């Protein structure tokens, strides 16, 4: 298979490219390197530097590669930034996707798997969260991802394009080869921020609120390893290749861990005291997000291999220890 990965130099994109190449697939990448890293690109992938909003550029790559399927990670994903600069998110995430769909239609490419997020649900009404639960995003990022899903839905209704949308919960960890991992600037995610303490980049980890309605008062999330997410994309392509209809899947472990539990596990893994500091709540944080991934298990045959928080944090630590400042 020839697969075109948009955003293949980013965190989840690069792990998916490694997984595809390990399986012997032919991979091309498009990335504008705004948040992606050249060093994260697999040496055996073909790389086109450019922006998916550039229709002429995209048309040329699609014509040349004519991929069997596209995997689309090329989006902005910082919740806080999406609230202060919403139009950046509409432009890149939505306009970018519109240009992509136009180009796919022009070039008769009809299979796409793309990144969605648990942020489409907003404050959940049920735990664990099902794909059929109400979607009421509380931030622009989640709103643009939900709008992307709808754009795919209506376009697939009107054409032969089939899509799979994967709603990730909290992506974390790093490839076991130690060559690629999480490197955001600015970093906003809990696990890499915790690991900055044993890496001597800061003296404590801030806990955003300890007065939530959860067992220890800190927020509960469903942490899912990036390599498990990567594998789900490949299963999703296979699902479409078998002729199945478009679909939406949650991807999580189905287990919740509080911020305090994550810190405690990181202490065990790193053998560092990791001091904590209780701070104000972060705006827009739901108390609890836990996925039901039953649908992905049943229809895609997906089963996370990293189902243990300690192993997940160990894999993240293996990367951050060797790359304290990212790539
Ligand atoms: N969090 C925290 N301190 C930090 C960063 C995050 O207490 O320095 C909390 C955050 O409030 C949330 C959880 O950790 O409850 C996971 O946050 P992250 O930004 O990693 O992912 P999100 O759940 O927002 O997608």
């Amino acid at each position: 298979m020839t697969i075109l990965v948009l955003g293949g130099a980013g965190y989840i994109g690069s792990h998916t490219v490694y997984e595809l190449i390990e399986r012997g697939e032919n991979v091309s990448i498009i990335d504008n390197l705004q948040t992606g890293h050249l060093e994260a690109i697999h040496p055996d992938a073909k790389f086109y530097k450019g922006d998916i909003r550039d229709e002429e550029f995209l048309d040329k790559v699609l014509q040349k590669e004519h991929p069997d399927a596209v995997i689309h990670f090329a989006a902005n994903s910082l919740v806080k930034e999406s609230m202060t600069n919403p139009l950046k998110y509409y432009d890149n995430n939505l306009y970018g996707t519109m240009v992509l769909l136009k180009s796919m239609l022009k070039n008769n490419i009809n299979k796409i798997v793309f990144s969605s997020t648990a942020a489409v649900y907003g404050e959940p009404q049920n735990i664990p969260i099902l794909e059929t639960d109400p979607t009421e995003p509380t931030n622009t990022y989640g709103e643009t991802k939900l709008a992307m899903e709808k754009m795919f839905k209506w376009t697939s209704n009107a054409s032969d394009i089939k899509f799979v949308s994967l709603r990730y919960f909290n992506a974390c960890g790093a490839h076991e080869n130690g060559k690629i991992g999480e490197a955001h600037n600015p970093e906003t995610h809990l696990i890499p921020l915790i690991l900055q303490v044993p890496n001597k980049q800061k003296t404590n980890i801030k806990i955003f609120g300890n007065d939530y309605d959860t067992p220890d008062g800190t927020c509960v999330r469903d942490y899912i390893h990036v390599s498990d997410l990567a594998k789900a994309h490949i299963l999703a392509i296979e699902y479409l290749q078998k002729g199945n209809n478009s679909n939406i899947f949650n991807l999580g472990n189905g287990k919740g861990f509080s911020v305090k539990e994550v810190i405690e596990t990181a202490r065990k893994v790193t053998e560092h005291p990791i001091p904590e500091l209780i701070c104000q709540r972060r705006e827009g944080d739901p108390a609890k997000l836990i996925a039901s991934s039953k649908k992905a298990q049943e229809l895609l045959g997906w089963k996370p291999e990293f189902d243990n928080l300690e192993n997940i944090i160990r894999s993240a630590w293996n990367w951050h220890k060797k790359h304290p400042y990212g790539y």
Side-chain angles (χ1 to χ4, degrees):
M1 275 194 298
T2 296
I3 310 290
L4 176 64
V5 181
L6 312 177
Y11 175 40
I12 306 172
S14 61
H15 284 76
T16 304
V17 169
Y18 266 70
E19 198 65 41
L20 285 163
I21 288 177
E22 277 158 28
R23 290 180 191 216
E25 308 300 351
N26 180 26
V27 180
S28 299
I29 292 174
I30 291 180
D31 201 298
N32 64 8
L33 297 181
Q34 236 171 49
T35 54
H37 307 272
L38 206 50
E39 302 89 331
I41 294 177
H42 194 293
D44 296 341
K46 205 189 270 183
F47 175 49
Y48 295 92
K49 183 172 184 291
D51 197 296
I52 60 163
R53 288 164 291 188
D54 179 346
E55 197 168 337
E56 211 177 304
F57 161 75
L58 199 58
D59 277 345
K60 271 194 197 139
V61 178
L62 290 195
Q63 270 159 28
K64 186 146 185 258
E65 295 298 328
H66 203 84
D68 297 292
V70 174
I71 310 184
H72 177 27
F73 297 98
N76 291 112
S77 61
L78 296 175
V79 170
K80 203 168 162 202
E81 182 191 52
S82 81
M83 298 303 279
T84 52
N85 195 356
L87 295 181
K88 176 175 176 181
Y89 283 69
Y90 277 89
D91 183 27
N92 196 20
N93 298 3
L94 269 176
Y95 176 67
T97 298
M98 190 185 86
V99 174
L100 168 64
L101 278 167
K102 274 166 72 177
S103 191
M104 284 177 65
L105 287 170
K106 265 188 272 178
N107 291 288
N108 295 315
I109 294 158
N110 58 16
K111 292 181 193 66
I112 178 154
V113 174
F114 72 98
S115 321
S116 186
T117 167
V120 299
Y121 296 109
E123 189 68 52
Q125 292 178 11
N126 307 303
I127 296 287
I129 303 171
L130 292 167
E131 290 83 352
T132 45
D133 283 352
T135 44
E136 285 174 29
T138 52
N139 55 60
T140 317
Y141 165 62
E143 191 76 71
T144 56
K145 286 284 174 173
L146 184 60
M148 277 169 68
E149 289 189 353
K150 306 265 186 197
M151 198 190 294
F152 280 107
K153 180 181 109 175
W154 294 113
T155 308
S156 74
N157 268 2
S159 68
D160 66 352
I161 287 185
K162 296 268 188 288
F163 72 88
V164 167
S165 169
L166 299 175
R167 293 177 176 167
Y168 316 145
F169 282 62
N170 289 62
C172 51
H175 198 289
E176 58 180 9
N177 68 11
K179 289 185 192 160
I180 52 170
E182 193 166 8
H184 297 113
N185 188 16
E187 188 50 76
T188 61
H189 295 112
L190 181 64
I191 293 176
L193 285 172
I194 294 174
L195 297 176
Q196 285 178 0
V197 183
N199 254 340
K200 304 192 171 47
Q201 289 166 282
K202 51 192 181 75
T203 51
N204 57 44
I205 177 72
K206 291 182 176 150
I207 296 180
F208 297 148
N210 66 349
D211 56 353
Y212 284 96
D213 183 17
T214 59
D216 66 18
T218 65
C219 288
V220 170
R221 294 288 180 273
D222 183 333
Y223 294 89
I224 180 76
H225 197 278
V226 64
S227 298
D228 283 322
L229 292 180
K231 288 179 183 129
H233 292 76
I234 297 168
L235 292 171
I237 289 178
E238 288 169 3
Y239 174 85
L240 291 177
Q241 295 238 314
K242 283 180 201 149
N244 287 302
N245 278 328
S246 299
N247 220 330
I248 296 178
F249 299 96
N250 285 341
L251 297 179
N253 260 312
K255 273 182 250 164
F257 292 95
S258 72
V259 174
K260 281 197 166 183
E261 285 172 321
V262 176
I263 298 171
E264 198 48 51
T265 309
R267 287 182 183 127
K268 189 171 166 205
V269 168
T270 61
E271 296 175 353
H272 186 283
I274 313 184
E276 59 190 47
L277 184 69
I278 306 294
C279 301
Q280 295 284 317
R281 287 183 176 200
R282 189 173 67 176
E283 210 187 326
D285 266 345
K288 225 174 174 190
L289 291 174
I290 302 173
S292 163
S293 301
K294 218 167 151 232
K295 187 173 165 188
Q297 283 173 25
E298 284 173 6
L299 297 187
L300 298 180
W302 180 70
K303 192 176 180 303
E305 285 165 26
F306 283 85
D307 57 356
N308 165 307
L309 185 64
E310 195 176 316
N311 290 341
I312 291 178
I313 295 182
R314 209 171 286 288
S315 103
W317 181 226
N318 182 42
W319 157 257
H320 288 289
K321 187 165 62 175
K322 291 189 198 129
H323 304 84
Y325 297 98
Y327 287 97

